[in-house]
Amino acid sequence: MKTKLFVLFLFLVSTSSQLLAQETDVFQKDGIAIRGYDPVAYFKQSKPVKGQETISYDWNGVKWLFSTEENKEDFKANPKKFAPQFGGYCAYGLSENHKSPTEPDAFTIVDDKLYLNYSLKVKELWKKDIPGRIKKANELWPVLESKTAKQ
């Protein structure tokens, strides 16, 4: 009987932690935001740069990785300035009323804000009407924010 209860307990703990991990409003994999890329590097280097596990900062329920200590400190001072819009989910997908994961290379900076897309192909669709897509995604984000994404 004790063994069955213990197995049930482990199952419940495992299931609940998986559900909590999926309910974050930040795109993450294994608790790491935006596939481990440095959000500050998009602004400073105009390209995606992989962060390092040894240079991290926990914010908004997930771990963010950085390529330099300076980038980490800049992020800590103003995370909302550097964090991607819509929690790092695909901005185009949000404008289409769903959450989608993103790829680091598919990014755009508009009005000093970072937007990520599902793929380079989707980024091309996004670029056809960025202001309209941002407007629509902003309207839908409050409803979609707490919904679990299809990874």
Side-chain angles (χ1 to χ4, degrees):
M1 179 69 169
K2 287 182 181 180
T3 303
K4 288 181 183 179
L5 286 174
F6 182 70
V7 170
L8 178 61
F9 171 76
L10 288 178
F11 172 77
L12 291 173
V13 167
S14 172
T15 303
S16 64
S17 66
Q18 288 173 357
L19 288 174
L20 287 173
Q22 293 174 353
E23 290 178 8
T24 180
D25 61 353
V26 174
F27 171 61
Q28 55 86 27
K29 185 166 172 80
D30 300 325
I32 298 176
I34 62 171
R35 299 191 188 276
Y37 280 76
D38 180 341
V40 178
Y42 284 100
F43 294 90
K44 289 185 171 183
Q45 295 176 257
S46 300
K47 66 180 183 178
V49 177
K50 192 78 168 156
Q52 300 177 43
E53 279 280 341
T54 56
I55 308 174
S56 68
Y57 178 65
D58 289 339
W59 179 74
N60 210 12
V62 295
K63 182 188 285 189
W64 297 77
L65 303 184
F66 302 91
S67 56
T68 68
E69 283 290 338
E70 180 182 338
N71 284 4
K72 174 184 163 182
E73 293 306 315
D74 288 347
F75 186 87
K76 282 173 65 174
N78 193 356
K80 289 185 179 185
K81 175 181 178 179
F82 297 106
Q85 301 300 293
F86 314 119
Y89 287 100
C90 177
Y92 179 89
L94 285 161
S95 74
E96 292 287 311
N97 201 27
H98 62 86
K99 276 184 173 178
S100 298
T102 52
E103 287 299 322
D105 292 345
F107 77 97
T108 311
I109 295 179
V110 179
D111 297 328
D112 291 323
K113 295 181 181 180
L114 174 61
Y115 296 90
L116 298 173
N117 290 119
Y118 178 77
S119 66
L120 292 174
K121 188 173 183 178
V122 169
K123 179 183 172 186
E124 292 305 312
L125 296 171
W126 158 258
K127 286 171 52 176
K128 290 179 181 180
D129 182 17
I130 291 174
R133 292 291 175 179
I134 290 173
K135 182 178 185 286
K136 189 67 174 168
N138 279 326
E139 291 169 2
L140 294 169
W141 179 238
V143 174
L144 293 170
E145 186 173 12
S146 62
K147 290 189 177 178
T148 302
K150 295 176 182 169
Q151 302 282 334

